Amino acid sequence: MKLVRYGNPGKEKPGLIDAEGKLRDLSAHIKDIGPAQLSDSALAKLRKIKTATLPLVKGSPRMGCPVMGTPKFVAIGLNYADHAAESGLPIPKEPIVFMKATSCIQGPNDPVMLPKGSVKTDWELELGVVIGTRARYVSQKDALNYVAGYCTMNDVSEREFQIERGGTWDKGKGCDTFGPVGPWLVTRDEVPNPQKLAMWLDVKRVQTGNTKTMIFSVAKIISYVSQFMTLEPGDFITTGTPPGVGLGMKPPMFLKKGDVMTLCIEGLGEQRQAVVPFKL
């Protein structure tokens, strides 16, 4: 299934994308799509609904983040060897874990706002994982069974805040609008191999990659992170970016007012964000 939340910010309704790519309303069956709707049993109930009986949604409404109420937004750094190289950093021996503020989460096509004083805001196309079942000390073999689904994410990053302001990555990762997610949550039954997904991002064409070149697989990441924190239903994990970020270009290239980012992961849908100036 491709699950979505559509409508104005704060007033989103649950829906799904049918086999013909049409948006259908799920609000007669569930109030929203959040942690309680992500378990295997809850998703199985949704699969039993006859899609043709769901009302079609007219027009092209805004898409919100496909999951509400995310408890944690976990991120993995330098998870592609060629991205580590362009950043001038060694390949990590263990996953690098940091956090993005949940307040940065937004819809896939909402504008990205340059933070106050920003001079080095950058893009990072990433495969997003949404946890469906509580995970604590899970094995790598079983780890994917704890996934509700996958989605496209943009780990927008302010490099000066991240690197030059004391070395705490979180400062450059959690600014408002820095977490576009969606357009869909694609349930794990439709993504049999998350390590075989093509991906690209355009400002001009800057990133082209494939999840097969990850240093640490999705299963390894979930197993590893679950040793240090309990992963709860609705938690996001963004799994690292392929090469082509602005920081690694010669000379570096950063986002400015008026730029537009378009990004896509195979089977998980496309995002488009206009870059806008800071506004309180």
Side-chain angles (χ1 to χ4, degrees):
M1 292 183 293
K2 292 182 174 70
L3 298 175
V4 301
R5 297 172 65 249
Y6 67 95
N8 293 329
K11 297 181 179 180
E12 292 92 346
K13 294 182 178 181
L16 62 76
I17 304 298
D18 68 17
E20 297 179 351
K22 296 179 180 178
L23 173 60
R24 292 182 178 268
D25 181 34
L26 270 175
S27 57
H29 297 271
I30 53 174
K31 291 183 178 180
D32 210 334
I33 299 170
Q37 288 75 42
L38 299 176
S39 68
D40 286 351
S41 59
L43 292 173
K45 289 180 181 179
L46 292 180
R47 288 190 191 93
K48 291 179 181 179
I49 299 170
K50 293 183 179 180
T51 304
T53 66
L54 297 172
L56 285 168
V57 178
K58 296 180 181 180
S60 300
R62 168 190 173 268
M63 290 294 176
C65 175
V67 177
M68 57 78 66
T70 296
K72 293 189 294 297
F73 197 164
V74 183
I76 306 299
L78 302 177
N79 195 30
Y80 290 72
D82 32 17
H83 172 54
E86 73 176 352
S87 301
L89 296 168
I91 295 173
K93 295 180 180 180
E94 296 186 36
I96 296 172
V97 181
F98 61 95
M99 307 295 288
K100 287 178 74 76
T102 55
S103 55
C104 80
I105 296 170
Q106 65 169 19
N109 303 317
D110 295 340
V112 164
M113 181 177 66
L114 297 171
K116 187 175 183 179
S118 169
V119 292
K120 296 182 179 179
T121 295
D122 203 349
W123 55 84
E124 289 195 12
L125 162 65
E126 306 200 7
L127 170 65
V129 179
V130 180
I131 299 297
T133 304
R134 190 172 187 264
R136 185 167 179 257
Y137 292 100
V138 302
S139 69
Q140 186 171 335
K141 179 181 178 181
D142 294 333
L144 296 185
N145 294 329
Y146 293 80
V147 174
Y150 302 91
C151 48
T152 302
M153 292 187 179
N154 189 354
D155 176 20
V156 185
S157 308
E158 213 298 342
R159 302 302 189 188
E160 183 183 45
F161 299 177
Q162 176 190 357
I163 300 167
E164 302 172 36
R165 299 285 294 275
T168 306
W169 282 21
D170 305 47
K171 289 187 292 190
K173 296 286 189 170
C175 302
D176 291 348
T177 75
F178 272 25
V181 179
W184 318 309
L185 170 68
V186 181
T187 52
R188 75 168 188 267
D189 58 301
E190 295 193 10
V191 187
N193 185 0
Q195 304 306 147
K196 196 177 180 180
L197 301 174
M199 54 205 306
W200 55 265
L201 182 147
D202 286 352
V203 180
K204 53 183 182 177
R205 177 58 55 92
V206 286
Q207 287 190 283
T208 303
N210 193 295
T211 56
K212 68 183 179 183
T213 66
M214 282 184 181
I215 299 167
F216 305 108
S217 68
V218 171
K220 172 64 177 178
I221 289 167
I222 294 169
S223 176
Y224 182 86
V225 173
S226 76
Q227 298 176 43
F228 303 103
M229 65 188 81
T230 299
L231 294 170
E232 301 286 358
D235 281 350
F236 291 165
I237 305 177
T238 191
T239 58
T241 194
V245 299
L247 178 67
M249 294 184 175
K250 299 185 186 304
M253 172 184 166
F254 297 113
L255 294 167
K256 62 185 184 301
K257 173 185 173 182
D259 284 341
V260 175
M261 293 176 283
T262 307
L263 52 151
C264 184
I265 298 179
E266 181 181 358
L268 303 185
E270 183 177 303
Q271 302 184 354
R272 185 182 187 276
Q273 298 115 26
V275 179
V276 299
F278 173 78
K279 182 180 180 181
L280 282 174

